mmCIF file of all heavy atoms in Angstrom:
data_model
loop_
_atom_site.group_PDB
_atom_site.id
_atom_site.type_symbol
_atom_site.label_atom_id
_atom_site.label_comp_id
_atom_site.label_asym_id
_atom_site.label_seq_id
_atom_site.Cartn_x
_atom_site.Cartn_y
_atom_site.Cartn_z
ATOM 1 N N GLN B 2 15.829 -19.390 -17.686
ATOM 2 C CA GLN B 2 14.826 -18.366 -17.902
ATOM 3 C C GLN B 2 14.385 -17.714 -16.578
ATOM 4 O O GLN B 2 14.359 -18.426 -15.544
ATOM 5 C CB GLN B 2 13.607 -19.021 -18.562
ATOM 6 C CG GLN B 2 13.463 -18.611 -20.012
ATOM 7 C CD GLN B 2 12.062 -18.738 -20.443
ATOM 8 O OE1 GLN B 2 11.164 -18.002 -19.960
ATOM 9 N NE2 GLN B 2 11.811 -19.654 -21.397
ATOM 10 N N LEU B 3 13.980 -16.511 -16.705
ATOM 11 C CA LEU B 3 13.461 -15.788 -15.524
ATOM 12 C C LEU B 3 12.005 -16.145 -15.316
ATOM 13 O O LEU B 3 11.213 -16.048 -16.278
ATOM 14 C CB LEU B 3 13.629 -14.272 -15.761
ATOM 15 C CG LEU B 3 13.527 -13.320 -14.604
ATOM 16 C CD1 LEU B 3 14.642 -13.560 -13.615
ATOM 17 C CD2 LEU B 3 13.564 -11.881 -15.138
ATOM 18 N N ARG B 27 15.328 -0.934 -11.914
ATOM 19 C CA ARG B 27 16.621 -1.056 -12.525
ATOM 20 C C ARG B 27 17.585 -1.843 -11.651
ATOM 21 O O ARG B 27 18.386 -2.691 -12.106
ATOM 22 C CB ARG B 27 17.208 0.342 -12.765
ATOM 23 C CG ARG B 27 16.547 1.066 -13.943
ATOM 24 C CD ARG B 27 16.890 2.548 -14.012
ATOM 25 N NE ARG B 27 16.288 3.172 -15.175
ATOM 26 C CZ ARG B 27 16.786 3.122 -16.397
ATOM 27 N NH1 ARG B 27 17.908 2.460 -16.641
ATOM 28 N NH2 ARG B 27 16.152 3.682 -17.386
ATOM 29 N N VAL B 35 19.639 -9.081 -15.798
ATOM 30 C CA VAL B 35 18.706 -8.903 -16.901
ATOM 31 C C VAL B 35 18.529 -7.406 -17.213
ATOM 32 O O VAL B 35 18.891 -6.563 -16.365
ATOM 33 C CB VAL B 35 17.411 -9.644 -16.478
ATOM 34 C CG1 VAL B 35 16.380 -8.654 -15.930
ATOM 35 C CG2 VAL B 35 16.872 -10.512 -17.534
ATOM 36 N N GLN B 36 17.976 -7.101 -18.374
ATOM 37 C CA GLN B 36 17.714 -5.677 -18.650
ATOM 38 C C GLN B 36 16.422 -5.229 -17.950
ATOM 39 O O GLN B 36 15.523 -6.036 -17.768
ATOM 40 C CB GLN B 36 17.566 -5.491 -20.170
ATOM 41 C CG GLN B 36 18.789 -5.795 -20.907
ATOM 42 C CD GLN B 36 19.913 -4.747 -20.624
ATOM 43 O OE1 GLN B 36 19.621 -3.549 -20.553
ATOM 44 N NE2 GLN B 36 21.139 -5.236 -20.383
ATOM 45 N N TRP B 42 7.842 -7.964 -18.710
ATOM 46 C CA TRP B 42 7.120 -9.125 -19.300
ATOM 47 C C TRP B 42 6.425 -9.881 -18.168
ATOM 48 O O TRP B 42 5.343 -10.452 -18.389
ATOM 49 C CB TRP B 42 8.127 -9.991 -20.040
ATOM 50 C CG TRP B 42 7.364 -10.875 -21.028
ATOM 51 C CD1 TRP B 42 7.086 -10.574 -22.346
ATOM 52 C CD2 TRP B 42 6.716 -12.077 -20.743
ATOM 53 N NE1 TRP B 42 6.345 -11.532 -22.885
ATOM 54 C CE2 TRP B 42 6.064 -12.496 -21.927
ATOM 55 C CE3 TRP B 42 6.599 -12.930 -19.650
ATOM 56 C CZ2 TRP B 42 5.330 -13.675 -22.018
ATOM 57 C CZ3 TRP B 42 5.874 -14.107 -19.719
ATOM 58 C CH2 TRP B 42 5.236 -14.464 -20.907
ATOM 59 N N HIS B 43 6.994 -9.827 -16.958
ATOM 60 C CA HIS B 43 6.441 -10.605 -15.846
ATOM 61 C C HIS B 43 5.444 -9.821 -15.006
ATOM 62 O O HIS B 43 4.537 -10.413 -14.399
ATOM 63 C CB HIS B 43 7.577 -11.119 -14.997
ATOM 64 C CG HIS B 43 8.502 -12.062 -15.699
ATOM 65 N ND1 HIS B 43 8.232 -13.419 -15.882
ATOM 66 C CD2 HIS B 43 9.655 -11.810 -16.333
ATOM 67 C CE1 HIS B 43 9.227 -13.946 -16.563
ATOM 68 N NE2 HIS B 43 10.084 -12.988 -16.886
ATOM 69 P P DA D 1 3.038 -16.679 -26.996
ATOM 70 O OP1 DA D 1 1.842 -17.396 -26.580
ATOM 71 O OP2 DA D 1 3.107 -15.321 -27.330
ATOM 72 O "O5'" DA D 1 4.243 -16.992 -26.006
ATOM 73 C "C5'" DA D 1 4.449 -18.270 -25.435
ATOM 74 C "C4'" DA D 1 5.831 -18.279 -24.845
ATOM 75 O "O4'" DA D 1 6.787 -17.893 -25.834
ATOM 76 C "C3'" DA D 1 6.014 -17.335 -23.650
ATOM 77 O "O3'" DA D 1 6.872 -17.958 -22.758
ATOM 78 C "C2'" DA D 1 6.626 -16.099 -24.348
ATOM 79 C "C1'" DA D 1 7.493 -16.743 -25.387
ATOM 80 N N9 DA D 1 7.640 -15.894 -26.599
ATOM 81 C C8 DA D 1 6.698 -15.195 -27.253
ATOM 82 N N7 DA D 1 7.131 -14.533 -28.288
ATOM 83 C C5 DA D 1 8.456 -14.889 -28.350
ATOM 84 C C6 DA D 1 9.505 -14.505 -29.244
ATOM 85 N N6 DA D 1 9.291 -13.697 -30.324
ATOM 86 N N1 DA D 1 10.739 -14.967 -29.030
ATOM 87 C C2 DA D 1 10.893 -15.798 -27.955
ATOM 88 N N3 DA D 1 10.030 -16.217 -27.067
ATOM 89 C C4 DA D 1 8.805 -15.690 -27.292
ATOM 90 P P DC D 2 7.167 -17.324 -21.355
ATOM 91 O OP1 DC D 2 7.640 -18.378 -20.412
ATOM 92 O OP2 DC D 2 5.990 -16.485 -20.981
ATOM 93 O "O5'" DC D 2 8.397 -16.390 -21.685
ATOM 94 C "C5'" DC D 2 9.678 -16.980 -21.765
ATOM 95 C "C4'" DC D 2 10.673 -15.967 -22.177
ATOM 96 O "O4'" DC D 2 10.241 -15.343 -23.402
ATOM 97 C "C3'" DC D 2 10.930 -14.812 -21.227
ATOM 98 O "O3'" DC D 2 12.216 -14.917 -20.705
ATOM 99 C "C2'" DC D 2 10.745 -13.527 -22.071
ATOM 100 C "C1'" DC D 2 10.885 -14.084 -23.456
ATOM 101 N N1 DC D 2 10.215 -13.333 -24.583
ATOM 102 C C2 DC D 2 10.945 -12.909 -25.667
ATOM 103 O O2 DC D 2 12.138 -13.150 -25.708
ATOM 104 N N3 DC D 2 10.335 -12.213 -26.670
ATOM 105 C C4 DC D 2 9.014 -11.954 -26.586
ATOM 106 N N4 DC D 2 8.452 -11.271 -27.576
ATOM 107 C C5 DC D 2 8.237 -12.395 -25.482
ATOM 108 C C6 DC D 2 8.854 -13.072 -24.492
ATOM 109 P P DC D 3 12.794 -13.904 -19.593
ATOM 110 O OP1 DC D 3 13.710 -14.681 -18.733
ATOM 111 O OP2 DC D 3 11.618 -13.210 -19.008
ATOM 112 O "O5'" DC D 3 13.581 -12.858 -20.461
ATOM 113 C "C5'" DC D 3 14.774 -13.359 -21.156
ATOM 114 C "C4'" DC D 3 15.233 -12.307 -22.100
ATOM 115 O "O4'" DC D 3 14.205 -12.041 -23.029
ATOM 116 C "C3'" DC D 3 15.650 -10.976 -21.512
ATOM 117 O "O3'" DC D 3 17.071 -10.964 -21.409
ATOM 118 C "C2'" DC D 3 15.100 -9.950 -22.457
ATOM 119 C "C1'" DC D 3 14.440 -10.755 -23.590
ATOM 120 N N1 DC D 3 13.171 -10.176 -24.143
ATOM 121 C C2 DC D 3 13.210 -9.552 -25.375
ATOM 122 O O2 DC D 3 14.276 -9.477 -25.988
ATOM 123 N N3 DC D 3 12.048 -9.040 -25.887
ATOM 124 C C4 DC D 3 10.926 -9.150 -25.200
ATOM 125 N N4 DC D 3 9.779 -8.665 -25.727
ATOM 126 C C5 DC D 3 10.867 -9.794 -23.942
ATOM 127 C C6 DC D 3 12.000 -10.294 -23.420
ATOM 128 P P DT D 4 17.833 -9.617 -21.113
ATOM 129 O OP1 DT D 4 19.148 -9.917 -20.538
ATOM 130 O OP2 DT D 4 16.946 -8.674 -20.351
ATOM 131 O "O5'" DT D 4 18.052 -8.960 -22.554
ATOM 132 C "C5'" DT D 4 18.756 -9.697 -23.536
ATOM 133 C "C4'" DT D 4 19.099 -8.828 -24.733
ATOM 134 O "O4'" DT D 4 17.875 -8.385 -25.384
ATOM 135 C "C3'" DT D 4 19.861 -7.570 -24.377
ATOM 136 O "O3'" DT D 4 20.843 -7.361 -25.427
ATOM 137 C "C2'" DT D 4 18.775 -6.489 -24.356
ATOM 138 C "C1'" DT D 4 17.801 -6.952 -25.393
ATOM 139 N N1 DT D 4 16.388 -6.621 -25.241
ATOM 140 C C2 DT D 4 15.724 -6.010 -26.325
ATOM 141 O O2 DT D 4 16.251 -5.745 -27.388
ATOM 142 N N3 DT D 4 14.408 -5.728 -26.053
ATOM 143 C C4 DT D 4 13.694 -6.006 -24.879
ATOM 144 O O4 DT D 4 12.496 -5.711 -24.778
ATOM 145 C C5 DT D 4 14.447 -6.618 -23.849
ATOM 146 C C7 DT D 4 13.753 -6.944 -22.588
ATOM 147 C C6 DT D 4 15.739 -6.877 -24.056
ATOM 148 P P DG D 5 22.102 -6.399 -25.124
ATOM 149 O OP1 DG D 5 23.280 -7.002 -25.752
ATOM 150 O OP2 DG D 5 22.139 -6.035 -23.696
ATOM 151 O "O5'" DG D 5 21.680 -5.097 -25.943
ATOM 152 C "C5'" DG D 5 20.700 -5.260 -26.988
ATOM 153 C "C4'" DG D 5 20.546 -3.927 -27.754
ATOM 154 O "O4'" DG D 5 19.204 -3.501 -27.634
ATOM 155 C "C3'" DG D 5 21.383 -2.793 -27.207
ATOM 156 O "O3'" DG D 5 21.695 -1.946 -28.326
ATOM 157 C "C2'" DG D 5 20.469 -2.117 -26.213
ATOM 158 C "C1'" DG D 5 19.090 -2.336 -26.816
ATOM 159 N N9 DG D 5 17.997 -2.595 -25.862
ATOM 160 C C8 DG D 5 18.158 -3.067 -24.558
ATOM 161 N N7 DG D 5 17.026 -3.164 -23.932
ATOM 162 C C5 DG D 5 16.053 -2.737 -24.834
ATOM 163 C C6 DG D 5 14.663 -2.612 -24.729
ATOM 164 O O6 DG D 5 13.917 -2.908 -23.761
ATOM 165 N N1 DG D 5 14.082 -2.133 -25.885
ATOM 166 C C2 DG D 5 14.801 -1.768 -27.035
ATOM 167 N N2 DG D 5 14.032 -1.329 -28.039
ATOM 168 N N3 DG D 5 16.113 -1.873 -27.138
ATOM 169 C C4 DG D 5 16.669 -2.378 -26.024
ATOM 170 P P DA D 7 20.082 5.299 -28.527
ATOM 171 O OP1 DA D 7 20.575 5.644 -29.904
ATOM 172 O OP2 DA D 7 20.991 5.322 -27.403
ATOM 173 O "O5'" DA D 7 18.821 6.169 -28.199
ATOM 174 C "C5'" DA D 7 17.683 6.005 -29.028
ATOM 175 C "C4'" DA D 7 16.461 5.967 -28.163
ATOM 176 O "O4'" DA D 7 16.593 5.055 -27.046
ATOM 177 C "C3'" DA D 7 16.054 7.328 -27.508
ATOM 178 O "O3'" DA D 7 15.102 7.961 -28.304
ATOM 179 C "C2'" DA D 7 15.510 6.920 -26.121
ATOM 180 C "C1'" DA D 7 15.548 5.373 -26.119
ATOM 181 N N9 DA D 7 15.893 4.821 -24.816
ATOM 182 C C8 DA D 7 17.117 4.607 -24.272
ATOM 183 N N7 DA D 7 17.054 4.020 -23.078
ATOM 184 C C5 DA D 7 15.761 3.877 -22.808
ATOM 185 C C6 DA D 7 15.004 3.345 -21.734
ATOM 186 N N6 DA D 7 15.621 2.862 -20.601
ATOM 187 N N1 DA D 7 13.689 3.357 -21.780
ATOM 188 C C2 DA D 7 13.075 3.867 -22.908
ATOM 189 N N3 DA D 7 13.621 4.355 -23.982
ATOM 190 C C4 DA D 7 14.962 4.350 -23.894
ATOM 191 P P DC D 8 14.823 9.530 -28.045
ATOM 192 O OP1 DC D 8 14.327 10.083 -29.343
ATOM 193 O OP2 DC D 8 16.005 10.099 -27.415
ATOM 194 O "O5'" DC D 8 13.643 9.491 -27.011
ATOM 195 C "C5'" DC D 8 12.469 8.773 -27.279
ATOM 196 C "C4'" DC D 8 11.465 8.967 -26.155
ATOM 197 O "O4'" DC D 8 11.822 8.069 -25.061
ATOM 198 C "C3'" DC D 8 11.467 10.351 -25.591
ATOM 199 O "O3'" DC D 8 10.146 10.870 -25.504
ATOM 200 C "C2'" DC D 8 12.128 10.260 -24.226
ATOM 201 C "C1'" DC D 8 11.874 8.784 -23.855
ATOM 202 N N1 DC D 8 12.852 8.164 -22.948
ATOM 203 C C2 DC D 8 12.479 7.477 -21.792
ATOM 204 O O2 DC D 8 11.225 7.420 -21.535
ATOM 205 N N3 DC D 8 13.382 6.931 -21.005
ATOM 206 C C4 DC D 8 14.676 7.051 -21.334
ATOM 207 N N4 DC D 8 15.537 6.476 -20.478
ATOM 208 C C5 DC D 8 15.111 7.749 -22.465
ATOM 209 C C6 DC D 8 14.202 8.297 -23.245
#
Side-chain angles (χ1 to χ4, degrees):
Chain B
Q2 254 204 64
L3 197 62
R27 286 169 178 277
V35 98
Q36 294 294 315
W42 200 91
H43 299 277

